[in-house]
Amino acid sequence: MKVECADRLDPAEASAWDAVAGAARLRCPFLGWTAVFAEGRRLDVRYVRDADGRVLAILPLYETESGALELLGGAEVSDYLDLIAVAGHEEEAWAALLAARAAERARWVLHAVPAPSPTVRALPALAATVGLGADVMLEERCPVLGLPSSWDTYLASLSGKHRHELTRKIRRFEREAPEGRAVVVRGPEAVAARLGDFLALHRRSRVGKAKFMDERMERFFRAALPALAEHDGVALWFLEAAGAPIASFVCLEWDGTVGLYNSGFAPEAASLSPGLVLLSHLIRDAIARGRARFDFLRGEERYKLEFEPTLEEVFRVTIGRDAAPHPRQHPEGSPA
């Protein structure tokens, strides 16, 4: 295998990139062609090719202020990241990448790698063969629902307390805002047209969200979401009352999964529990369309846990000469 390096994203590689991402074990929007993530970054993109020149894996890195190299996309806006590799070729691709970088000093920091990934399971042993360390540490958990065949079946699966609270809040919203409705927007033009409404609600939700959604982040959202919507990868939801949106969610969709990517709320409508009410519409819609999973993505906020998901782990993997393995994080077979 041959490893090639590039310091920019070449549009000519976009189709090959998406082909590898489409053949990967993990298929999600964060791993597709990521030119929108590259603004202002010094890039270090590594392509692994077989003897015929076919791309088998891509490791898109960028340099951070500390001099480390992190996966493009970054933990700030990407909930799942990993080596982008054709399924079944991950370990040989990692072996080639590690051998090619053995003399480098910069650390590689891979955020948000899902627990089942070969990167988590196999990298410590592979790194050791070339004199490197790979430190695998639990980073966060993602609450995930396996969806049943009907909304009633889902409600029946909840504990009595959570089922009572959810149905009570839905009924209160219907009683106090009888004209209220959930609206979903799909398609690039429609998503672009209503992004301003989402951004306004997002910034109003709380101070931290207003700080997060600065000019650079708004440019990212305005570029990324319509682009993903061209491939049916985005749904923009609103809960409306009295003719105005009071809650909004951006959902990403991939491989039978609906992912809750970001949110916004009108603080003055908090008594109506607009977030929980709108979430019930999202989950009901996902079930009706036959989706297998509803993924709340990273973070264990209380409102997510009220829907009684299971928690799936994601890891931070650090590779370098000073990255000693942590023995409790990757016991035989799987991470802790």
Side-chain angles (χ1 to χ4, degrees), residues 1-3 47-57 89 92:
M1 286 202 174
K2 179 181 179 182
V3 177
Y47 297 89
V48 180
R49 299 182 186 271
D50 63 14
D52 297 322
R54 183 170 66 107
V55 178
L56 291 182
H89 292 278
E92 59 183 320

Side-chain angles (χ1 to χ4, degrees), residues 188-203:
E189 294 182 0
V191 167
R194 291 217 62 180
L195 259 179
D197 293 334
F198 163 76
L199 293 169
L201 281 174
H202 178 88
R203 288 183 169 119

